[in-house]
Amino acid sequence: MTPPQFASAPDYQQKIKHVFAEVGKVVVGQHYMLNRLLIGLFTGGHILLEGVPGLAKTLTISTLSKVLHLHFQRVQFTPDLLPSDLVGTMIYNQNQSEFQVKKGPIFANLVLADEVNRSPAKVQSALLEAMQEKQVTIGETTYPLDLPFLVLATQNPVEQEGTYPLPEAQVDRFMMKVYVDYLKKTDELEVMRRMANMSYVGEVSPILTKEDIFGIRQQINQVQISETLEKYIIELVFATRKPAEYDLTEFQQYVQFGVSPRASIALHRAAKAVAFLDERDYVLPEDIKEVAADVLNHRILLNYEAEADGIRTQDMIEAILRKVPIS
């Protein structure tokens, strides 16, 4: 198979601007969330969105899927969902007297796992195994998933009733966990006006192809990051594990576990993607700081004492970014 002919970087930048414009025809004011979704798409990292219902998490993902020439599937996670409903199963064909494979919705390029914390652990494990291994085993046969393969999951905050919080070891497979907040007044006013018009139909056009996505990944891979900034990433990661060594003794008693090595990789890739989206071929310290909270927040495990004292992972990340120097 001959490699696809990639367009030049300026062509990609123009297409990315068109993606924002097309999604903006339907989704109002969620530029930050869309930016993080594109970073995940362009770096092969799964994204977990958390926010209360009604903040256009599902709408943004489904709209983004329409501007991509990718196979899209949406799975609504519910308490009675089974692993076979997600990955597929073996069905007996009476006419041919043999079992046949019926593939599930996981066999897509872009999978929306809507309200992922509504289903029990077995279903979550089936999804997250596919995320990690990029393959699914049905019966005795293992099937590779088509690339690019990306899971965009949404979840309600853990204080909502009827949810199953994702175990930290499984949440770690998500490149970023993005908190989605309420809209500004002007944006919500625009949403209200649009949706109050019962004739409104939001239509978008396809912009990016699979070849474009692989081409953008190649461009991001060529973004330069200095050895100094690579070491800075390592220092940020180690500061979550041993805060006392970085003059952060006030957090030492609260940290149960720091972030895993996946955080270093994700922070490195995400920073390069931020630089690329800013039309630069080199990484700045600000690029790392911009994505640090989204990459680290779900990987730091605080103890019950931190919860009792009202200490959040966000507080710790902000303190780390202030204290850890770029040597």
Side-chain angles (χ1 to χ4, degrees):
M1 179 178 177
T2 58
Q5 296 298 313
F6 298 119
S8 61
D11 293 333
Y12 289 140
Q13 296 292 355
Q14 198 62 35
K15 285 189 175 184
I16 291 170
K17 290 176 183 177
H18 287 164
V19 168
F20 278 98
E22 284 297 309
V23 175
K25 293 179 180 178
V26 177
V27 181
V28 178
Q30 292 293 4
H31 185 277
Y32 179 85
M33 174 168 47
L34 179 58
N35 176 274
R36 294 306 188 255
L37 292 174
L38 289 177
I39 288 175
L41 177 67
F42 297 152
T43 60
H46 310 291
I47 304 295
L48 177 62
L49 303 177
E50 180 173 298
V52 297
L55 298 183
K57 300 184 297 295
T58 301
L59 178 63
T60 303
I61 295 172
S62 61
T63 304
L64 177 61
S65 72
K66 294 176 183 177
V67 304
L68 306 173
H69 289 277
L70 297 176
H71 181 201
F72 171 73
Q73 288 281 9
R74 176 188 174 186
V75 183
Q76 182 67 49
F77 279 55
T78 56
D80 60 347
L81 195 71
L82 299 174
S84 58
D85 297 329
L86 181 67
V87 301
T89 187
M90 303 285 290
I91 296 179
Y92 186 73
N93 188 323
Q94 291 184 342
N95 294 330
Q96 300 181 10
S97 300
E98 64 180 12
F99 284 95
Q100 294 181 342
V101 174
K102 177 176 173 55
K103 294 182 178 180
I106 197 70
F107 289 89
N109 298 115
L110 197 64
V111 177
L112 167 56
D114 210 357
E115 294 190 294
V116 67
N117 59 333
R118 290 288 180 189
S119 64
K122 283 187 177 181
V123 179
Q124 294 174 0
S125 297
L127 170 69
L128 295 166
E129 181 182 1
M131 291 166 53
Q132 180 67 22
E133 307 299 335
K134 302 292 193 301
Q135 63 184 26
V136 171
T137 301
I138 303 175
E140 298 179 352
T141 308
T142 299
Y143 300 90
L145 296 171
D146 187 33
L147 299 178
F149 173 70
L150 192 70
V151 172
L152 306 176
T154 70
Q155 74 172 18
N156 293 327
V158 293
E159 61 265 23
Q160 296 282 329
E161 293 184 5
T163 61
Y164 301 82
L166 297 173
E168 281 73 14
Q170 294 180 337
V171 173
D172 190 37
R173 293 190 176 105
F174 286 97
M175 180 185 190
M176 291 189 286
K177 180 179 180 180
V178 181
Y179 291 102
V180 184
D181 205 352
Y182 291 106
L183 296 173
K184 295 184 294 186
K185 290 180 181 179
T186 53
D187 291 333
E188 189 149 347
L189 177 63
E190 175 63 23
V191 171
M192 181 181 68
R193 287 172 174 168
R194 281 191 189 183
M195 303 313 295
N197 180 4
M198 290 179 283
S199 311
Y200 171 75
V201 178
E203 295 183 354
V204 294
S205 303
I207 302 295
L208 291 178
T209 65
K210 187 182 297 187
E211 288 73 22
D212 287 329
I213 293 170
F214 285 126
I216 290 171
R217 287 186 182 181
Q218 187 183 70
Q219 294 289 340
I220 291 175
N221 208 36
Q222 295 172 359
V223 172
Q224 298 297 313
I225 179 170
S226 67
E227 184 178 353
T228 299
L229 291 183
E230 288 181 329
K231 290 180 178 178
Y232 177 58
I233 291 174
I234 298 301
E235 295 296 330
L236 292 177
V237 166
F238 271 73
T240 68
R241 302 170 187 170
K242 299 178 180 179
E245 295 183 5
Y246 295 84
D247 196 22
L248 294 163
T249 52
E250 66 271 26
F251 293 101
Q252 183 67 45
Q253 61 178 322
Y254 299 124
V255 177
Q256 190 170 351
F257 294 105
V259 301
S260 73
R262 287 196 185 102
S264 307
I265 300 168
L267 203 48
H268 193 281
R269 290 182 176 179
K272 293 171 78 170
V274 170
F276 177 81
L277 291 175
D278 283 345
E279 301 186 36
R280 282 182 281 107
D281 61 355
Y282 56 91
V283 174
L284 295 174
E286 289 74 18
D287 300 330
I288 299 172
K289 294 178 180 179
E290 181 179 333
V291 292
D294 295 324
V295 171
L296 302 178
N297 65 55
H298 58 299
R299 293 184 163 97
I300 299 174
L301 182 59
L302 302 180
N303 54 30
Y304 290 107
E305 190 177 347
E307 184 176 353
D309 292 346
I311 301 297
R312 306 172 303 160
T313 55
Q314 183 65 32
D315 300 327
M316 183 176 175
I317 293 169
E318 290 174 357
I320 288 173
L321 292 176
R322 288 195 305 267
K323 289 277 188 177
V324 176
I326 301 174
S327 59

